[in-house]
């Protein structure tokens, strides 16, 4: 099996709808773990587990300020992931174009 390292980590992190929701929520501004838990109607433990996956992928970050742990988007920009998706899309487009051309030729 081919390993893609950081791509696997990022795609794994965004494969879950709750984690995508957390990223969208943090895109609107910082929030504490407690605020995220309320937003997603989850336990603190559940949000912390999701947040840990996102943090491992460097998509979010947090630091402790007193008793609060503000969460924010991380510095990772997903450029490599976007480039991979674009290459895959071009490959699929090429395959469908070849299939379409073949079907056109067999119709005649």
């Amino acid at each position: 099996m081919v390993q893609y390292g950081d791509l696997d980590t990022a795609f794994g992190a965004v494969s879950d709808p709750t984690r995508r929701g957390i990223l969208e929520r943090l895109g609107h501004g910082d929030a504490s773990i407690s605020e995220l838990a309320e937003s997603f109607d989850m336990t603190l433990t559940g949000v912390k587990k999701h947040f840990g996956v996102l943090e491992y992928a460097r998509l979010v970050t947090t630091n402790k300020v007193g008793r609060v742990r503000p969460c924010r988007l991380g510095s990772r920009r997903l450029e490599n992931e976007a480039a991979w998706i674009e290459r895959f899309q071009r490959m699929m487009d090429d395959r469908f174009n070849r299939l379409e051309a073949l079907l056109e030729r067999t119709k005649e």
Side-chain angles (χ1 to χ4, degrees):
M1 183 171 150
V2 177
Q3 295 292 317
Y4 289 99
D6 281 348
L7 285 177
D8 291 342
T9 302
F11 284 136
V14 298
S15 67
D16 182 86
T18 299
R19 291 193 288 267
R20 289 191 305 270
I22 290 171
L23 290 173
E24 285 185 39
R25 167 61 184 83
L26 294 177
H28 296 287
D30 297 354
S32 69
I33 292 284
S34 297
E35 290 169 332
L36 290 172
E38 289 172 12
S39 297
F40 293 94
D41 194 30
M42 294 182 76
T43 64
L44 286 173
T45 303
V47 170
K48 285 179 184 178
K49 286 181 181 180
H50 283 294
F51 197 84
V53 172
L54 293 168
E55 197 167 31
Y56 180 76
R58 299 185 329 269
L59 296 171
V60 296
T61 186
T62 187
N63 62 324
K64 194 167 186 179
V65 179
R67 298 181 77 189
V68 179
R69 188 173 289 280
C71 306
R72 62 187 53 86
L73 292 177
S75 60
R76 186 167 185 181
R77 298 180 44 91
L78 298 176
E79 292 165 340
N80 292 336
E81 293 75 11
W84 184 89
I85 290 169
E86 187 176 323
R87 284 191 308 274
F88 187 80
Q89 182 65 48
R90 279 194 309 268
M91 179 190 67
M92 292 303 293
D93 288 346
D94 289 346
R95 291 183 70 154
F96 283 123
N97 289 338
R98 288 194 310 268
L99 177 60
E100 182 179 32
L102 174 67
L103 292 173
E104 287 297 319
R105 283 194 310 272
T106 59
K107 239 187 347 184
E108 297 168 359

